[in-house]
Amino acid sequence: MIEALRAEWTKTRTTGGIAWLLTGAIAVTIAVSAGIAAATHVSPQGGQEDPTKIALTGVYLGQAVVAVFAVLTISEEYGTGMIRVSLAAMPRRLVLLAAKAATTTALALTAGILAVTGCLLVGRLMLPTAGLDPAHGYPLISIGHSPTLRAASGSVCYLVLIALLSLGVATALRDGAPSIAVVLGLLYLPPLLAQAFTDPLRRHIEQIAPMTAGLAIQATTDPHSQPIAPWAGLGVLTAWAAASLLIAALLLRLRDA
Amino acid sequence: MNDAIIEVTGLRKRFGPTLALDGVTFTAPPGKVTGFIGPNGAGKSTTIRVILGLDAPDEGHARVGGHPYRDLRNPLRHVGALVDAAAVQPSRTARNHLLWLARSQTLEAGRVDAVLELVGLAAAARRKAGGFSLGMRQRLGIAAAMLGDPPVVILDEPFNGMDPEGIVWMRKLLRTLAAEGRALLVSSHLMSELQGIADHIVVIGRGKVLAEAGIDELLARAAGEQVLLQTPTPAEAYRVLHRAGGVTTIIDDGALSVSGLAARQVVAALGQSDVVFSEVTTQRPTLEDVYFQLTSGEAEFGTNTVQGAQR
């Protein structure tokens, strides 16, 4: 397993595009959050806002880049035929998948921590000018505030789980473009679809869809506004990622390379 | 090196309606280059993928050094293989491609530089593999195969895309590796590529092994020498040669081929009967002829022109 990890790490380290994609994921996440923060204007008599959630909005878009990164870690091997070289070198296929999952996790975690930290900083610096300041009853964003800490660490976990879900889908489908389409569809379509229905069906869709359930972790002020409890929502996404990796493992094990 | 052997027994594999392998059995012995020959689509690559544990056979098994490939620990130290020279990540340098492979087998980075030197890519080590010609990719593939200094080496169509110098280099390398006691399995759809380097030949067609023999035995098994000549009176010549004990075929109006008689006997018989003739030549069977005799009608995608070409 150590050998497989070192091999996968060396592959990742020496693939030109990976570093750029992860930098892109971080940049997109922070930029979107900054844009949203800049566009936010709160009227004094408006309803209660959730500054942490606003600051973490960038994750909505950043996750797409993380998904593309995770898909490419395996689909590029299928695209070039290098998967056969990999499997000849590492014939224990589940070990190979585990090593890929581990490197993907490590990189998504690093990117996630940097992106989320950036979002929180942007929120802390920019949101007070939008009226979300202590004078109006909104304390500065701080991870000393336990719901904020939960939202931040949960968002990092969310990005890691999205990466693992994507890795599983791409291993099962082997082709990059369809894999990206399936992952993005799985993430962004259910919330749109849910709008076509009324509660309780809408709520149920949002409870089981990977993105709406998973991002419930970002709410810090009014948990009841969310379709599902924060950690339970992340649990739903974990189930999605686990199912995806399980199917991937079975197919990888059974199929010819 | 008792690890230096490939044993393939009764492989059967079906892809949908096509029976890709129909009971493939052969052995690639140590210290020899085993030529694995057959037309495109005959089952060579499938067999190699099964040996490497990439494809699972429906029946039968393949062993390398006595073990199924999937049981090998650090398999590249036991078997080096070149399956598809194009299978490299274009953005990765040659050296980094070998480096991750080395890491996967707990091999030192020093091996990477050694095999780059061996295949003559040391100068291109830090260039991206995506910019390599097919010949250079073949060399990179050979470098990957030799990374673990394995007793068994399997190369699928290694001559594809190689320039003449590359071919000469490859032939020499294959001879050297076999002389070191390794078992080499080298596939090709062209018999001529392996003439002079293969000691042992396995001919495959439509998923079946058509012949497995030493090269001398295979040549001896082929139809013997033939004498070719031109004559303005083929019917007359045919009668004379038939009387003299030759098996004669009229190729076209003025050309005959004779087997069973030496050129000297043909000339004597025709001379005694005052038959006019010219351009007497002797043709010995080549590996190519043996291959055509064995595979005629077996080519999955070929035409039957080979069958009709009488000599």
Side-chain angles (χ1 to χ4, degrees), chain A residues 11 14-15 76 88-89 256-257, chain B residues 13 54-56 69 89 92 105:
Chain A
K11 273 188 205 171
T14 58
T15 309
E76 279 211 317
D256 287 337
Chain B
K13 174 135 189 97
L54 295 172
D55 285 12
Y69 189 90
Q89 188 118 20
R92 195 173 283 132
Q105 313 293 308

Side-chain angles (χ1 to χ4, degrees), chain A residues 9 22 26 103-117 156 160:
Chain A
W9 173 245
L22 288 173
I26 297 166
T103 45
T104 305
T105 299
L107 289 167
L109 190 67
T110 310
I113 289 172
L114 292 173
V116 167
T117 307
V156 174
V160 170

Side-chain angles (χ1 to χ4, degrees), chain A residues 61 71 75 81 113 121 128 187 189 199 218 220 230 256:
Chain A
L61 200 62
V71 164
S75 72
I113 289 172
L121 281 175
L187 292 179
L189 282 185
D199 282 335
Q218 292 187 339
T220 61
D256 287 337

Side-chain angles (χ1 to χ4, degrees), chain B residues 268-286:
Chain B
L270 294 175
Q272 277 161 22
S273 311
D274 291 331
V275 177
V276 179
F277 63 92
S278 62
E279 291 176 45
V280 181
T281 53
T282 302
Q283 201 173 56
R284 291 189 178 80
T286 61

Side-chain angles (χ1 to χ4, degrees), chain B residues 14-37:
Chain B
R14 186 176 280 285
F15 290 117
T18 14
L19 194 56
L21 301 181
D22 188 6
V24 172
T25 300
F26 67 86
T27 302
K32 288 188 173 169
V33 175
T34 298
F36 192 32
I37 322 274

Side-chain angles (χ1 to χ4, degrees), chain A residues 10 13-14, chain B residues 92-101 112 125:
Chain A
T10 309
R13 192 168 59 74
T14 58
Chain B
R92 195 173 283 132
T93 66
R95 192 171 188 285
N96 283 335
H97 176 69
L98 296 172
L99 192 61
W100 77 255
L101 276 171
V112 170

Side-chain angles (χ1 to χ4, degrees), chain A residues 1-4 6-8 10-17 72 76-77 80-93 253-257, chain B residues 13 15 49 52-57 69-70 72-76 81 83-84 86-93 96-97 99-101 103-106 144:
Chain A
M1 183 70 200
I2 295 288
E3 303 96 300
R6 296 190 69 194
E8 285 307 316
T10 309
K11 273 188 205 171
T12 310
R13 192 168 59 74
T14 58
T15 309
L72 288 182
E76 279 211 317
E77 291 211 22
T80 56
M82 207 181 79
I83 189 73
R84 296 206 183 97
V85 182
S86 292
L87 288 174
M90 297 171 262
R92 288 183 300 168
R93 299 186 175 185
R253 187 75 201 264
L254 295 176
R255 277 189 312 213
D256 287 337
Chain B
K13 174 135 189 97
F15 290 117
R49 285 204 303 271
L52 297 175
L54 295 172
D55 285 12
Y69 189 90
R70 289 191 197 193
L72 296 174
R73 203 167 149 63
N74 291 329
L76 302 193
V83 182
D84 176 4
V88 287
Q89 188 118 20
S91 66
R92 195 173 283 132
T93 66
N96 283 335
H97 176 69
L99 192 61
W100 77 255
L101 276 171
R103 295 274 184 254
S104 75
Q105 313 293 308
T106 349

